Amino acid sequence: MFDVALADNGILRFIGRLDAAQAAKAQAALDAAADPGVIDFALLEYISSAGLGVLLRTQKRLMASGRKLKLVNVNNHIHDIFRYSGFDQIFEIERAAGAPGP
Amino acid sequence: MKGERKPKDLTTDELRWILEVTRRLAAPLDLDTMLREVVDVARGVCDADFGMVWLHDAARGELSMQVVPGLEPTRIAADHGIVGECLRLRKAINLPDCHADPRFDREVDLASGYRTRSMLTLPMVGPDDTLVGALQIVNPRDGVFDANDEVVAHLLADQCAVALQRVRMTEQMIRAGKLGQEIAVAREIQLATLPQSAPRVPGYDVAGIFRPADETGGDTYDFVALPGGRYAILMGDATGHGIGPALLATHVRAMLRVALRLEADIDETVRHMNNQLVDDLPDDRFVTAFLGLLDANAHSVRYHAAGQGPLLHFRAATGTCELYPPTSFPLGSLHMPSARAAAVLELAPGDILALASDGIYEYQDVSQREFGADAVAALVSAHHQRPMAELVEVMLRALADFGAGIAQADDLSMVLIRRLPDAALDSAVAASDAGPGMQQRFARSLDSLDAVFDFVGRYFAAEGLDPGLRYAVDLTVEELFANMVRHNAEGKSDIRLALAREGEALLGTIEDFDSPPFDFGAPRATSIGKPLADRRPGGLGLHLIRRMMDSVEYRHADRVTTITFRKGSGRT
């Protein structure tokens, strides 16, 4: 299952597994947020290309007004996906604590 | 009209006859018997030479002549001749001298050599005023038909009209309802006798299908495990469609089962089954059948192909199919005085014996071209390495594509027997020591993804695979599955996912059984270094799985897309 939560500090939290069946839900949450800014991946277990697509579209929208997404607490597996896809060059990524450096 | 003339002196005998025929007509008779009854009574009462009944076919505007022994059934236009005039007027026509009347058709006499002198023609009108036909009696012994004859014949014609309508209605009801039910029962019996699944034969991959046509056909097949690693295989096809062939096919299978229980030799079995069918069946009925005995230890098949053919033998060594003709005539066509020796076929590793019924070879497309044995052979050769159950699916799909919407005319049955190649045997043994692979079908929808991941999780747990690999496998499976859903939304089949071990590697296969070719060629990896504005979300999935898997292979043939992926050492 996949969920999006909004923390008190205004940070969006992605929770669970963001697969192709859940991409629309993630997209709707990001579209609804005027300025997502930071997304916390601490509880995100899985993301596939469909989720990357959602993030990419959002990034393009924000960049049009000079803003950017920052992804924090990204686990190793998910970081691999960003690396393999070259998306690590598109997003500012902060890896989860305890994860080895790049 | 009835009662226009009073009978002057209807004798007791005449009355008794009429009452008798009335009573008999009330009993449930078939059409022919009933008509004979009426004509016999009419002839008897009027002491005439012969009589006949014309039935009115309103739909075709014709009259058909019935009940004249020695004369071919004849059809004429409904307004033709005396009988046509009689029906038009709905009145009896009594001609003392036919040849003096211009309406009389002399051709009938000329053709038959019979001399019609005097003729009485009466309309048969049903109680609801519909024209049923006409009763005609010819040449009374005393010269002409008198008023008395007319009255008696009228009574008979009226009775006959009522009875005829009843018989026609009954026949219609039987055709529409009861017969339909009986055919359904026959089919149920036929299907119930077929094996529910192919037998497990060590060292072999066996698959069979039976797909009946809309109406019950006469195909049957059977596998029976015998002592000593031997298996009896039957595939039969009784001529025709409907209840008869369905029951006959069931009958043939039952005879075989009894013979096997008695441990009869296959050669003697064929002879006795044949001779029994010669005794049981009418001349135009017979059964084509393949009856074989597979020895899974000696890798040979002894068989009789009674009018059944061609048999296909795929030889793995050459990669081609040989076609063998039937070994003898169809069962039930000719008495067999002594047993014939079975033909023998050797199966080398990777060889396939394919049996297909006429319904497959003769499957027709819109221009009535037949699918043909060569097409079957080509498919077997092209897909010989796949599981036989899949080859069956490929075959059915190819037939459906070939027919392009034309309804299946005949039963389709097929039996495929593949001797596993030694390598497959080895890996099958190796796999069995770690548990068999798993496979599952999923509905073509992204909503299936949860079930897909659950399936992968169960396989990992069952095999004790490294959880560190789970992400890569999940992602690969999702990307491939989602691609199949998106790019082939019109596909009719489920999508099948299989996971197995290949040595130390994990082997995954995902298949779409109803799909156009998919451009799996160049990955869009080139966009990875591009500026953001040029980058698109699509195409990433395939790039990712190529990075994460050791190998990814794509195949497409006969509307089946197969993608295979491997990931090294799945062991912890």
Side-chain angles (χ1 to χ4, degrees):
Chain A
M1 266 326 288
F2 173 75
D3 228 333
V4 181
L6 185 60
D8 292 343
N9 55 7
I11 290 178
L12 282 175
R13 244 170 216 278
F14 277 10
I15 303 164
R17 298 171 63 90
L18 177 43
D19 60 33
Q22 305 296 331
K25 187 176 186 178
Q27 188 73 63
L30 289 175
D31 290 349
D35 182 8
V38 179
I39 306 176
D40 187 350
F41 274 26
L43 297 176
L44 186 68
E45 298 164 26
Y46 174 92
I47 191 168
S48 62
S49 68
L52 295 183
V54 170
L55 293 173
L56 180 61
R57 276 188 287 274
T58 306
Q59 184 77 328
K60 284 182 178 177
R61 171 169 69 90
L62 293 177
M63 285 175 79
S65 54
R67 292 170 294 166
K68 271 181 125 171
L69 272 181
K70 182 178 178 183
L71 313 176
V72 300
N73 293 317
V74 176
N75 76 31
N76 287 343
H77 285 303
I78 293 177
H79 189 251
D80 281 346
I81 301 297
F82 278 86
R83 262 194 323 119
Y84 293 154
S85 59
F87 273 38
D88 58 341
Q89 292 157 45
I90 298 173
F91 299 95
E92 186 183 347
I93 297 176
E94 232 177 63
R95 307 187 65 178
Chain B
M1 279 170 284
K2 194 164 31 174
E4 278 174 3
R5 299 177 189 172
K6 294 277 178 211
K8 284 182 281 191
D9 47 359
L10 208 57
T11 65
T12 320
D13 270 357
E14 285 167 339
L15 264 176
R16 202 160 44 81
W17 278 38
I18 291 168
L19 286 174
E20 175 63 15
V21 79
T22 305
R23 191 184 63 78
R24 281 201 238 166
L25 290 181
L29 293 169
D30 65 279
L31 189 61
D32 282 353
T33 314
M34 197 210 86
L35 292 176
R36 246 174 254 285
E37 201 79 48
V38 171
V39 170
D40 282 353
V41 172
R43 277 178 53 213
V45 172
C46 303
D47 201 13
D49 201 10
F50 78 87
M52 63 188 122
V53 171
W54 295 86
L55 292 184
H56 185 231
D57 183 342
R60 299 167 65 163
E62 286 180 343
L63 292 164
S64 61
M65 183 186 63
Q66 316 275 327
V67 207
V68 184
L71 273 189
E72 288 296 308
T74 312
R75 298 186 79 91
I76 60 170
D79 57 359
H80 185 78
I82 301 287
V83 64
E85 179 79 352
C86 161
L87 288 186
R88 196 177 63 78
L89 300 172
R90 297 194 174 211
K91 255 179 94 169
I93 299 178
N94 187 352
L95 294 180
D97 181 7
C98 290
H99 288 264
D101 195 299
R103 295 168 298 184
F104 180 70
D105 182 356
R106 284 166 190 78
E107 294 299 319
V108 179
D109 273 14
L110 288 174
S112 64
Y114 183 86
R115 171 80 185 178
T116 304
R117 293 179 327 250
S118 174
M119 184 164 75
L120 178 59
T121 309
L122 302 123
M124 298 195 300
V125 181
D128 57 354
D129 222 31
T130 54
L131 273 180
V132 177
L135 173 67
Q136 216 162 32
I137 35 181
V138 175
N139 290 356
R141 201 162 300 167
D142 52 6
V144 292
F145 292 105
D146 59 19
N148 200 28
D149 293 329
E150 273 192 52
V151 171
V152 173
H154 245 307
L155 287 175
L156 271 172
D158 285 343
Q159 291 298 329
C160 185
V162 174
L164 257 175
Q165 273 202 323
R166 182 171 52 81
V167 169
R168 278 183 167 177
M169 258 156 59
T170 310
E171 285 190 342
Q172 239 168 21
M173 276 162 60
I174 287 174
R175 268 201 299 276
K178 184 157 158 279
L179 197 65
Q181 273 175 20
E182 283 175 7
I183 285 180
V185 170
R187 167 184 275 187
E188 214 170 287
I189 292 170
Q190 184 189 13
L191 293 178
T193 60
L194 297 173
Q196 298 301 302
S197 60
R200 299 183 64 85
V201 181
Y204 283 79
D205 180 3
V206 181
I209 50 134
F210 172 71
R211 180 167 291 186
D214 288 343
E215 285 184 19
T216 307
D219 279 13
T220 187
Y221 74 94
D222 202 3
F223 300 110
V224 190
L226 302 171
R230 294 173 313 135
Y231 300 82
I233 306 146
L234 168 74
M235 201 178 85
D237 183 0
T239 51
H241 292 276
I243 296 180
L247 292 179
L248 182 51
T250 308
H251 179 58
V252 164
R253 185 189 158 278
M255 283 199 283
L256 172 67
R257 285 274 174 153
V258 171
L260 293 173
R261 276 176 187 268
L262 295 172
E263 298 179 9
D265 171 73
I266 183 178
D267 301 349
E268 282 297 332
T269 298
V270 167
R271 175 178 160 239
H272 284 294
M273 280 173 64
N274 175 71
N275 291 352
Q276 185 65 53
L277 288 170
V278 170
D279 292 346
D280 290 352
L281 298 181
D283 288 344
D284 60 341
R285 292 262 179 213
F286 50 82
V287 182
T288 65
F290 172 94
L291 183 54
L293 205 58
L294 166 68
D295 186 328
N297 298 319
H299 304 298
S300 66
V301 180
R302 287 179 59 221
Y303 70 93
H304 291 266
Q308 173 80 47
L311 313 179
L312 264 75
H313 180 186
F314 171 80
R315 290 188 184 274
T318 60
T320 55
C321 276
E322 285 184 39
L323 304 179
Y324 303 136
T327 56
S328 64
F329 48 78
L331 298 180
S333 47
L334 205 65
H335 198 75
M336 210 185 267
S338 60
R340 300 173 173 219
V344 182
L345 181 149
E346 307 285 343
L347 289 172
D351 279 12
I352 298 171
L353 171 61
L355 310 172
S357 68
D358 287 355
I360 289 181
Y361 292 131
E362 294 167 7
Y363 201 101
Q364 290 189 343
D365 71 2
V366 67
S367 52
Q368 298 195 323
R369 278 177 310 165
E370 292 186 352
F371 191 68
D374 289 341
V376 175
L379 282 171
V380 171
S381 303
H383 299 279
H384 69 97
Q385 285 181 315
R386 308 181 75 171
M388 291 297 102
E390 289 181 26
L391 180 47
V392 165
E393 289 206 41
V394 167
M395 192 72 64
L396 290 176
R397 208 164 299 283
L399 285 171
D401 285 351
F402 178 77
I406 303 287
Q408 175 191 337
D410 197 358
D411 288 355
L412 304 178
S413 6
M414 183 160 217
V415 174
L416 296 169
I417 300 163
R418 179 176 188 233
R419 180 179 169 191
L420 292 172
D422 295 338
L425 209 53
D426 292 345
S427 72
V429 171
S432 69
D433 115 275
M438 277 170 47
Q439 61 176 43
Q440 191 173 323
R441 286 172 175 267
F442 300 93
R444 183 185 300 275
S445 158
L446 292 181
D447 294 336
S448 300
L449 279 174
D450 284 344
V452 169
F453 293 135
D454 180 60
F455 170 80
V456 175
R458 278 186 284 122
Y459 184 73
F460 266 66
E463 291 288 299
L465 296 179
D466 178 3
L469 288 179
R470 177 74 197 274
Y471 197 107
V473 175
D474 273 357
L475 185 121
T476 302
V477 168
E478 178 193 327
E479 300 293 353
L480 294 174
F481 189 89
N483 252 319
M484 285 173 171
V485 172
R486 284 199 206 97
H487 294 288
N488 184 26
E490 305 301 308
K492 297 281 182 281
S493 73
D494 290 341
I495 293 170
R496 182 167 71 186
L497 174 61
L499 294 173
R501 290 236 323 275
E502 192 182 59
E504 284 299 285
L506 172 72
L507 174 69
T509 311
I510 184 161
E511 282 169 296
D512 185 341
F513 292 101
D514 181 25
S515 58
F518 168 64
D519 179 15
F520 197 77
R524 292 195 222 164
T526 45
S527 71
I528 280 175
K530 283 187 178 172
L532 178 60
D534 296 340
R535 302 193 59 163
R536 296 178 177 284
L540 253 185
L542 295 180
H543 165 73
L544 286 174
I545 65 177
R546 284 202 158 93
R547 281 297 303 268
M548 301 180 96
M549 291 291 127
D550 295 347
S551 72
V552 184
E553 289 158 27
Y554 164 85
R555 269 188 302 158
H556 182 270
D558 303 308
R559 290 201 60 78
V560 181
T561 296
T562 307
I563 300 174
T564 312
F565 54 89
R566 284 181 183 75
K567 183 74 177 171
S569 183
R571 291 313 233 177
T572 40

